[in-house]
Amino acid sequence: MATKKEAQQPLTNNEIRTLMLQYFYDRNRNATSSRGKKGSSVKISDVKRELKASHTLAQQEVQSNLTYLISQGWVKEDAIEKSYTAPGGTIIPSTTNFYTITAAGIDKIEGPGEFTMAKFHGIKIEATGQNIITVGDGNQVNAKFGELGQALAELRDSVTAADTAEAEKMSVVADIETIQTQRAKPEPNRVVVRAAWEAIKASAAVNGFVALVAKVTALIHGLL
């Protein structure tokens, strides 16, 4: 009796995000115009149709993970506003959203290059005391999070060098960068930090980074 084929395992969100970012990267690389059939920017209807055809992704999978990619800065959304005149003479506005990979998204795939700007390019950062750093036009950041930044950088390097799936690495590194960005803000968003840190802990603990997770845990409580 022939054995039944194993049911294909559904893709994880990390795997879907990797596929989608690669889709936007390839679209930009092969583009011959900014918008249109061969444009680097693409409408959501085309994104859903093409990803369904190439990777059998459901509309819900595309939409939810596109929201994540946009919130992380890998993809940007541009609204193009137009209007048309109805037969009765009424002018009706119309908005079409287009989606394009960002420079950060390209660097995520290619790696930083000669033209990659430093995270705080153009921002003046200087120490003004034992616990305060002045950023930009007078905003102040508590320097007590400096050790946390170093610990997160160590965790990021370890994750990057680990023998795990690239999609999982990308997800953890993205969450680490999210915390690093919040750490530099005068008023970090604790909800964002908490969500990112919980995701990092879950993945890092499974992959054997217990010591580094414990080190960050001891320093991050002030942001949670």
Side-chain angles (χ1 to χ4, degrees):
M1 182 176 177
T3 58
K4 293 182 179 181
K5 291 183 179 179
E6 290 186 14
Q8 185 175 0
Q9 293 295 319
L11 297 174
T12 65
N13 282 332
N14 288 338
E15 291 171 330
I16 293 173
R17 291 163 191 166
T18 300
L19 290 174
M20 290 182 63
L21 191 61
Q22 186 67 49
Y23 162 81
F24 285 109
Y25 175 85
D26 291 339
R27 178 127 195 154
N28 179 72
R29 182 181 58 184
N30 298 318
T32 56
S33 62
S34 58
R35 291 189 293 274
K37 186 176 181 181
K38 293 292 186 180
S40 54
S41 296
V42 58
K43 295 186 291 186
I44 186 62
S45 58
D46 293 329
V47 175
K48 291 177 178 178
R49 175 176 52 80
E50 292 178 9
L51 286 173
K52 180 179 180 180
S54 60
H55 299 292
T56 65
L57 296 184
Q59 291 189 20
Q60 297 90 335
E61 292 176 314
V62 173
Q63 186 63 62
S64 62
N65 286 290
L66 178 58
T67 298
Y68 179 87
L69 292 174
I70 292 171
S71 68
Q72 291 288 353
W74 308 133
V75 173
K76 68 176 180 177
E77 178 182 43
D78 292 318
I80 306 300
E81 297 182 357
K82 297 181 180 180
S83 62
Y84 66 94
T85 304
T90 303
I91 297 177
I92 301 176
S94 174
T95 302
T96 303
N97 292 327
F98 286 85
Y99 301 89
T100 318
I101 192 170
T102 63
I106 293 173
D107 285 344
K108 173 61 70 175
I109 292 178
E110 295 182 351
E114 180 181 354
F115 294 96
T116 302
M117 286 189 179
K119 183 179 289 292
F120 298 111
H121 175 79
I123 299 178
K124 183 180 180 182
I125 301 178
E126 56 185 16
T128 58
Q130 183 175 2
N131 295 317
I132 298 295
I133 295 175
T134 298
V135 183
D137 58 355
N139 291 331
Q140 294 183 329
V141 181
N142 200 319
K144 68 183 180 182
F145 298 133
E147 290 184 62
L148 171 61
Q150 294 177 355
L152 286 168
E154 290 179 33
L155 179 58
R156 183 190 190 284
D157 291 343
S158 295
V159 169
T160 302
D163 185 19
T164 56
E166 292 301 316
E168 186 171 359
K169 288 183 186 180
M170 180 183 290
S171 180
V172 175
V173 168
D175 285 328
I176 291 174
E177 290 301 322
T178 294
I179 297 177
Q180 293 283 41
T181 299
Q182 291 296 323
R183 181 181 63 86
K185 291 184 176 181
E187 295 183 9
N189 187 321
R190 296 176 186 273
V191 174
V192 171
V193 173
R194 191 178 302 117
W197 179 233
E198 288 301 321
I200 292 169
K201 284 197 300 182
S203 179
V206 170
N207 289 290
F209 303 116
V210 178
L212 286 172
V213 167
K215 183 176 181 179
V216 175
T217 298
L219 298 168
I220 202 173
H221 58 85
L223 284 178
L224 300 177

